[in-house]
Amino acid sequence: MQALRGVSVDVTKGELTAVMGPSGSGKSTLMHILAGLDQPTTGDVWIADTEIGGLNDTQLTKLRREHIGFIFQFFNLLPMLTAKENIVLPLRIAGEKPDADWVEELTAAVGLGDRVSHRPSELSGGQQQRVAIARALVSKPTVMFADEPTGNLDSTTSGEILTLLRDSVSSYGQTTVMVTHEAQAAAIADRILFLADGLIVEDIGSSTAREILETLEAVTTR
């Protein structure tokens, strides 16, 4: 069985693209392939003018480190590090010295402020996701991938995190691809792709949550 079947898509620079679809539609597989975490059996994936299929593991790791940011549903923070240490970790791993002004701007932008010295266990779920967003943005990646970024949060906190994601696109021009099953989350996107049975079956522009739900229902029942 093929998870994806002949998908062809360009992600527009400086926009937030949401990916939706019923369970098993291929949306997670698509994100993993776009991010270089999985290899397609056929076809090409290009990031920052580089076709990633021909890269070895070392080159692929370097490309992900320099060009890709990740936000996960369960935060994936290192428990022994403070919030600030988690944020600058990608730069430390790359052997780069963090720009203190940029890190300070980021922590303020995501609303961490006085919590930067706290460890993940001392932070709420929403605060941990704020750390994760800042960590994804700190290296100024070519593209940021968000995998169900509000899936583990209550509705109020989810709204705050979605505002942060939207602001990162509007303020920093951060190209973002977000996989979500929530219409309210997809409503912040500039574009929404709907997958079904491994194919992109709908591609719509900015829409309300109600319009997204109607499209998703049509996709699911076709």
Side-chain angles (χ1 to χ4, degrees):
M1 182 179 177
Q2 293 176 315
L4 295 173
R5 300 182 294 149
V7 169
S8 179
V9 62
D10 290 319
V11 175
T12 305
K13 185 177 180 180
E15 288 191 357
L16 195 162
T17 301
V19 180
M20 299 192 78
S23 179
S25 62
K27 54 186 184 294
S28 292
T29 301
L30 176 62
M31 190 184 75
H32 289 168
I33 288 175
L34 292 178
L37 297 174
D38 290 333
Q39 292 277 4
T41 49
T42 58
D44 300 331
V45 179
W46 291 78
I47 296 176
D49 300 321
T50 300
E51 201 288 293
I52 67 177
L55 301 181
N56 61 35
D57 287 346
T58 301
Q59 292 169 325
L60 192 54
T61 297
K62 186 173 185 291
L63 178 131
R64 283 199 297 258
R65 196 166 59 208
E66 294 177 353
H67 293 287
I68 297 175
F70 287 101
I71 302 170
F72 302 95
Q73 179 177 347
F74 296 104
F75 323 133
N76 287 24
L77 304 179
L78 293 185
M80 73 292 293
L81 300 182
T82 66
K84 185 174 182 179
E85 289 167 342
N86 268 288
I87 290 169
V88 302
L89 185 62
L91 300 177
R92 298 289 191 197
I93 292 173
E96 300 176 17
K97 183 179 179 180
D99 180 331
D101 291 340
W102 171 234
V103 173
E104 186 176 345
E105 179 184 338
L106 259 187
T107 53
V110 300
L112 282 170
D114 60 352
R115 309 294 287 179
V116 292
S117 61
H118 291 65
R119 287 183 169 79
S121 61
E122 302 170 307
L123 301 173
S124 68
Q127 289 167 337
Q128 289 185 63
Q129 196 63 297
R130 290 169 189 270
V131 174
I133 291 171
R135 180 185 58 188
L137 291 170
V138 73
S139 59
K140 300 179 180 178
T142 300
V143 59
M144 181 168 71
F145 292 95
D147 186 8
E148 299 281 5
T150 59
N152 200 38
L153 303 172
D154 63 63
S155 58
T156 300
T157 307
S158 293
E160 295 169 354
I161 294 302
L162 292 172
T163 298
L164 284 180
L165 289 175
R166 183 66 249 177
D167 286 348
S168 73
V169 179
S170 303
S171 300
Y172 303 124
Q174 179 59 61
T175 307
T176 303
V177 177
M178 174 178 64
V179 168
T180 182
H181 67 276
E182 299 174 0
Q184 204 66 46
I188 71 166
D190 300 292
R191 177 189 186 192
I192 305 107
L193 305 177
F194 294 85
L195 269 71
D197 298 323
L199 294 168
I200 295 175
V201 293
E202 291 287 350
D203 182 346
I204 64 176
S206 178
S207 303
T208 65
R210 181 174 180 177
E211 291 168 337
I212 292 166
L213 277 174
E214 290 172 351
T215 305
L216 184 60
E217 185 177 354
V219 165
T220 304
T221 57
R222 69 169 55 196

